[in-house]
Amino acid sequence: MRISIENFTKTFGDTTVIDNMSLDINSGEMLALLGPSGCGKSTTLFAICGIHRMNGGRLLFGDRDVTKVSSQKRNVGVVFQNYALYPHMNVYDNIAFPLKVRKESKAEIDRKVQEIATLVHIGELLQRRPAQLSGGQQQRVALARALVRKPDILLLDEPLANLDAKLRLEMRSEIRRIQLQTGITAVLVTHDQVEAMSMCDRIAIMDEGRIVQLSSPKEMYEDPSSDFVAGFLGNPPIAFLEGSVDEAGFRLANSEVTLPVPAGITLPGPGSAMRFGIRPEFFQPDNALKVKGRISFVETQGREELYDVTLENGAVLRSIQTQGGSYRVGDEVTWGIAADRILAFGPDGDRL
Amino acid sequence: MQRSSWLGLAFLSPALIVVFLFFLVPVVLTGFFSFTNMSTATGVKGGAYVLNASGLRALTDAGLPKSTLEQIEGAGYRVDAKGLEALALDFGKPVAEEFAKLHEGEVFSKRRDVERALKDLRSNPIRKTRDRKQAADLFKRSLMNERFDSPTAFEAALEEAGIPETDRPLITEVAYTGWVWTTDNFGFLFSLDSTWQYAKNTVIYVVFTLSFNVLFGLFLAIATFYLPAGQAAAFRAIWFLPRILPPVLYIVMWRWFTWDTGFISTVLSGFGVPPRNWMLDTEFHAWTTIVLINGFVGASMGMIVFSSAIRAIPASMLYASEVDGASRLQQIWYIILPQLRWPILFITSYQTMSLLTSFEYIYLATDGGPGGATEVWALAAFHTALNNYGGNLQYGLGATYALILVVIGLLASLAYLRLFNFRNLLVKPRIEG
Ligand SMILES: Nc1ncnc2c1ncn2[C@@H]1O[C@H](COP(=O)(O)OP(=O)(O)OP(=O)(O)O)[C@@H](O)[C@H]1O
Ligand SMILES: [Mg+2]
């Protein structure tokens, strides 16, 4: 089912948390709401499921206006940030709860609970209490409870935040599998960019209650609309070079070094400030646009090695290289930037 | 014991002292009194030895020979210092001095003999027969209504009166006015019909007030939970008033409310209902008022405890139940109430204890009326031991009532403790030691 948020505004007392946000989520799509802590992701989610009333704007499920519909009647499944399982019920009763309050027959409830329990692989845990489950198991129970009554929409609020790295990886594909299998429209709230990029069809990046960019993961990575977005995506993160516009192009701050500006970028007037963003994979020994620096930090990541290179003016560039280079801290290096991959940002942070 | 345990004990010591002084000592004293026949008549210190009419009756019933009884009643006329002194006061020194010279130390068995002896005096100012009779009576000595402070003095008097030695111990026992140890209180108490009436009243009182307390407290807690914060606070404050109002004032308001010229009567008179005392006119009304008076006070406590327990439920759990489709009622029934199980059990047990022993509101409102209909066990103990119209306060019997209540309270506490412990067996400690 398609979700349309139109001019959504949310205030708590005097503070406006979300201001005039509009967002369209396609039917069957999994969309990530990505952003730093406190930017209003959960608030948006709570507005979609009806826990929070909207102070302004409209919410449509398909063609139906649900702005004033109570959360009981929206048929939205939610997996909460802390799972919110009912501690006094066992797993079976937790999953059966949404069916029980709709007064479905015992047999019907049993059939559906068993079916969903198999789907999320918790068939053997049904008699346990939530307190007797691991974080990952609780998360599956919460997912099963959200899915059991076949909701039109699935909302997930940082469902993987409490899991260890391996389990997180596992659950990522698990959730995606279930979402694709059921064809449900899903919104995933997260502040983990890897999660957002690996699981979702599209990402909406939020900052301070606004959506900064909405696009597919690949597009967002390669073509960020601002330095905020560029900085948010990518691990290890992008490195920024501060500087200003010069007749020769981009001149590094506190230095005589200038870099040519890639084609197709309209520069602001001479003298105005600007930044170059260079991702670690585009700063390599073999690239053409050479800069000189000294290796200030080496981190071995197993398959790859990460180097921090401090330039003469004190700015730092990052480089990620496959194993084999025998560079050490303190080595003088002259490596190159892939000139066509430089991202240039204007004084206000917007992409040029 | 570890050092920290001693430290803990040291910290606890003020509490222990308070428990000792205000709980243990009263209980021990109650136990002690309940095995005595103490009353206003016996006093709480030792007693004196006095034979009075009822003592004489008891002796008659005990089958004392008639002659002995007569000896007790009329031990004769003895010319002793005390009588002579009285004679001197009433009829002049000379008469007394002469009478002393002639008859001091003599015992006359009949009054007529004394009168004759008086008549025979040379300085004879007692002319009238009536006066002589009066004068003779000054020497009358009887064991009746005579106070002796020690058993030896009493026994000496018996001996002097010539009472047979075999009868003396029984007479001494009956004459003793102080308290004695006895276990009769228990049998006596259960032989009284009124005792069973008190038990029944107590059950009615506890069951109905408790139900009201818990259910109404729950209702208030849940209702205020769903109100906006400001209104909820105001509402709770109102329901808290009865608890912080001084009991006397609170009851005075209820009395005014139910008085035959009070609020209810005044309002209802507008509808043609004749005014009456709505608190005391029927047993049903008395009980209703009692349950309401205590219930409003108790409900506020339940309300506070339940309210905080509800607020301790994570909000996300309530949100979850809403998006799961649960209506308000289903949310209350399936999510909130199950999580209030232990607070409810706690309030129930706590209130049972305090209701069993509390009587102050009943005392102030109906004082057990009408006709003992609302006389609960604790109030009966109070009335028997400390406050009754007959004037004879039966400390011993009252303490027996109280002791039985203590025993019931202890048993109930043990039962409830087991219930709570049962929970501890189920739930492992959160912090492992
Ligand atoms: N009930 C509330 N009352 C007042 N302010 C609130 C309330 N709930 C959230 N906020 C504020 O709204 C802002 C957004 O909160 P929200 O929970 O949506 O953040 P989030 O993006 O989900 O963050 P996180 O990643 O830490 O969960 C925060 O600044 C928060 O302080
Ligand atoms: Mg959140």
Side-chain angles (χ1 to χ4, degrees):
Chain A
M1 181 157 308
R2 184 187 147 87
I3 306 171
S4 312
I5 304 172
E6 296 174 1
N7 307 100
F8 164 43
T9 300
K10 178 71 199 172
T11 55
F12 290 114
D14 295 338
T15 40
T16 302
V17 175
I18 309 275
D19 192 12
N20 207 15
M21 172 207 273
S22 292
L23 178 63
D24 271 315
I25 303 162
N26 302 323
S27 186
E29 173 183 47
M30 184 146 177
L31 179 108
L33 275 183
L34 181 63
S37 187
C39 70
K41 305 182 296 290
S42 298
T43 307
T44 308
L45 214 63
F46 283 0
I48 296 176
C49 65
I51 290 167
H52 286 337
R53 294 270 165 270
M54 294 164 72
N55 296 98
R58 289 209 308 162
L59 177 68
L60 294 137
F61 288 174
D63 294 327
R64 189 163 73 113
D65 186 340
V66 294
T67 317
K68 297 253 150 53
V69 174
S70 73
S71 49
Q72 283 93 340
K73 301 211 177 77
R74 291 196 190 186
N75 199 22
V76 175
V78 184
V79 176
F80 287 86
Q81 202 160 353
N82 57 4
Y83 309 148
L85 299 178
Y86 310 125
H88 55 283
M89 301 180 193
N90 64 20
V91 169
Y92 184 97
D93 291 334
N94 262 283
I95 299 175
F97 186 74
L99 306 175
K100 193 166 155 189
V101 296
R102 288 203 305 202
K103 308 224 160 59
E104 294 195 9
S105 74
K106 274 226 156 63
E108 188 74 351
I109 291 178
D110 194 55
R111 189 181 62 74
K112 289 184 181 172
V113 170
Q114 298 296 349
E115 186 186 301
I116 203 78
T118 317
L119 183 72
V120 300
H121 306 313
I122 47 165
E124 69 290 351
L125 303 175
L126 290 177
Q127 294 314 314
R128 296 224 200 143
R129 295 262 174 146
Q132 300 164 323
L133 299 177
S134 77
Q137 291 166 336
Q138 289 185 34
Q139 199 257 313
R140 285 160 200 252
V141 176
L143 193 60
R145 185 180 66 184
L147 288 171
V148 72
R149 67 195 152 135
K150 305 254 179 323
D152 300 328
I153 290 155
L154 177 65
L155 305 178
L156 303 136
D157 193 353
E158 305 197 23
L160 307 179
N162 297 341
L163 308 184
D164 68 52
K166 185 163 169 288
L167 197 56
R168 194 180 299 196
L169 211 67
E170 221 170 87
M171 288 309 300
R172 251 195 243 158
S173 43
E174 194 87 327
I175 291 177
R176 181 60 163 166
R177 171 180 70 81
I178 292 166
Q179 189 264 330
L180 290 173
Q181 204 169 325
T182 51
I184 194 170
T185 309
V187 181
L188 172 80
V189 160
T190 178
H191 48 220
D192 180 350
Q193 44 105 10
V194 184
E195 217 169 277
M197 287 172 64
S198 61
M199 288 170 75
C200 297
D201 301 308
R202 284 197 301 162
I203 297 175
I205 288 214
M206 286 184 70
D207 187 26
E208 294 177 345
R210 288 172 303 111
I211 291 184
V212 187
Q213 188 173 356
L214 173 66
S215 35
S216 71
K218 187 171 152 61
E219 198 182 318
M220 190 164 279
Y221 186 77
E222 289 173 356
D223 194 12
S225 67
S226 69
D227 54 354
F228 173 80
V229 177
F232 212 89
L233 292 189
N235 185 28
I238 195 166
F240 289 106
L241 294 177
E242 306 290 338
S244 55
V245 181
D246 191 292
E247 0 7 301
F250 176 72
R251 177 201 176 98
L252 285 181
N254 309 322
S255 146
E256 296 304 316
V257 180
T258 52
L259 297 173
V261 176
I265 291 178
T266 30
L267 286 178
S272 57
M274 126 182 221
R275 345 170 58 187
F276 269 10
I278 296 147
R279 293 203 183 273
E281 60 270 34
F282 301 130
F283 180 52
Q284 300 289 335
D286 312 333
N287 287 343
L289 185 57
K290 298 289 185 198
V291 287
K292 235 203 284 184
R294 184 189 295 275
I295 293 182
S296 55
F297 180 74
V298 181
E299 187 183 296
T300 311
Q301 290 189 339
R303 200 155 26 83
E304 290 150 336
E305 262 164 311
L306 175 68
Y307 301 103
D308 280 7
V309 177
T310 306
L311 307 186
E312 282 156 350
N313 71 339
V316 176
L317 281 180
R318 267 181 223 106
S319 171
I320 190 152
Q321 300 174 18
T322 43
Q323 281 267 9
S326 49
Y327 304 102
R328 289 165 190 284
V329 174
D331 288 355
E332 292 266 5
V333 293
T334 309
W335 288 346
I337 301 169
D340 54 335
R341 296 303 199 133
I342 292 175
L343 302 171
F345 302 97
D348 51 1
D350 283 348
R351 181 82 178 282
L352 294 173
Chain B
M1 220 164 21
Q2 285 176 341
R3 236 175 84 104
S4 61
S5 310
W6 285 112
L7 204 65
L9 216 57
F11 274 116
L12 268 182
S13 57
L16 288 179
I17 290 170
V18 168
V19 165
F20 178 76
L21 277 184
F22 296 104
F23 179 71
L24 218 51
V25 170
V27 167
V28 169
L29 282 180
T30 305
F32 163 76
F33 283 129
S34 62
F35 287 97
T36 70
N37 66 348
M38 276 186 202
S39 66
T40 314
T42 68
V44 289
K45 293 186 273 180
Y49 293 81
V50 180
L51 271 177
N52 51 22
S54 72
L56 207 63
R57 226 174 298 127
L59 287 174
T60 318
D61 293 345
L64 219 63
K66 205 165 165 91
S67 58
T68 312
L69 291 173
E70 270 168 11
Q71 272 173 310
I72 293 171
E73 251 179 314
Y77 296 78
R78 177 188 303 271
V79 183
D80 53 10
K82 189 177 145 201
L84 288 167
E85 216 169 282
L87 190 69
L89 211 66
D90 286 0
F91 298 98
K93 238 184 170 128
V95 181
E97 270 166 17
E98 193 188 351
F99 197 57
K101 206 159 28 171
L102 291 175
H103 300 289
E104 175 142 35
E106 271 180 57
V107 177
F108 299 86
S109 61
K110 294 210 170 65
R111 186 172 69 194
R112 187 183 304 204
D113 298 336
V114 188
E115 282 176 50
R116 190 166 301 135
L118 283 170
K119 199 177 177 183
D120 289 347
L121 289 180
R122 202 163 309 150
S123 57
N124 187 3
I126 314 175
R127 295 195 190 283
K128 286 190 194 141
T129 322
R130 213 179 63 199
D131 288 348
R132 266 203 304 278
K133 264 186 193 158
Q134 242 175 34
D137 271 342
L138 293 175
F139 296 95
K140 181 169 183 187
R141 292 295 170 262
S142 163
L143 284 170
M144 294 297 291
N145 299 323
E146 190 83 41
R147 242 183 119 79
F148 299 89
D149 286 334
S150 71
T152 37
F154 187 67
E155 298 254 353
L158 289 180
E159 192 178 353
E160 214 165 87
I163 285 165
E165 208 164 345
T166 46
D167 293 337
R168 284 183 213 158
L170 181 66
I171 299 172
T172 312
E173 197 190 312
V174 169
Y176 185 57
T177 60
W179 58 270
V180 293
W181 295 105
T182 172
T183 55
D184 293 348
N185 287 334
F186 293 89
F188 175 64
L189 188 147
F190 285 111
S191 73
L192 293 174
D193 286 343
S194 52
T195 301
W196 299 105
Q197 180 66 37
Y198 303 152
K200 201 183 99 194
N201 288 348
T202 309
V203 170
I204 294 175
Y205 171 61
V206 171
V207 167
F208 281 94
T209 312
L210 188 66
S211 316
F212 185 90
N213 277 351
V214 173
L215 293 179
F216 197 59
L218 259 180
F219 169 78
L220 287 175
I222 292 174
T224 52
F225 177 67
Y226 285 113
L227 285 179
Q231 289 174 30
F235 208 63
R236 286 200 199 102
I238 291 172
W239 283 106
F240 212 63
L241 275 183
R243 182 163 285 272
I244 51 178
L245 218 55
V248 175
L249 204 63
Y250 176 58
I251 298 299
V252 164
M253 283 171 58
W254 268 96
R255 289 195 152 194
W256 167 78
F257 195 65
T258 55
W259 216 242
D260 45 12
T261 54
F263 183 79
I264 300 182
S265 294
T266 310
V267 168
L268 286 183
S269 68
F271 300 93
V273 180
R276 50 178 148 155
N277 186 330
W278 287 91
M279 188 191 289
L280 289 171
D281 63 340
T282 65
E283 284 186 19
F284 179 73
H285 285 166
W287 274 122
T288 310
T289 354
I290 292 297
V291 168
L292 289 181
I293 285 174
N294 283 279
F296 285 154
V297 175
S300 63
M301 156 135 181
M303 175 187 77
I304 295 301
V305 171
F306 298 145
S307 283
S308 49
I310 293 177
R311 268 187 284 177
I313 299 174
S316 63
M317 208 179 294
L318 300 175
Y319 293 158
S321 67
E322 272 176 33
V323 296
D324 281 346
S327 65
R328 274 283 149 82
L329 281 180
Q330 287 172 322
Q331 190 177 51
I332 291 167
W333 186 252
Y334 290 117
I335 308 296
I336 294 181
L337 283 182
Q339 312 225 31
L340 293 185
R341 255 177 72 199
W342 298 111
I344 289 173
L345 185 62
F346 165 73
I347 287 292
T348 306
S349 52
Y350 179 87
Q351 298 274 30
T352 313
M353 300 302 156
S354 42
L355 285 175
L356 269 180
T357 53
S358 81
F359 60 86
E360 60 272 27
Y361 289 112
I362 304 183
Y363 171 61
L364 291 169
T366 65
D367 198 14
T374 57
E375 180 96 355
V376 294
W377 195 283
L379 185 60
F382 171 70
H383 275 152
T384 310
L386 299 170
N387 185 320
N388 71 27
Y389 296 119
N392 187 19
L393 304 179
Q394 296 168 283
Y395 311 127
L397 191 62
T400 312
Y401 276 116
L403 186 70
I404 290 171
L405 207 54
V406 168
V407 170
I408 292 174
L410 281 178
L411 291 179
S413 319
L414 286 179
Y416 282 126
L417 273 181
R418 272 199 73 98
L419 264 175
F420 280 114
N421 267 335
F422 186 56
R423 176 209 184 181
N424 287 343
L425 292 179
L426 286 180
V427 181
K428 297 217 189 77
R430 303 238 168 121
I431 300 169
E432 294 183 8

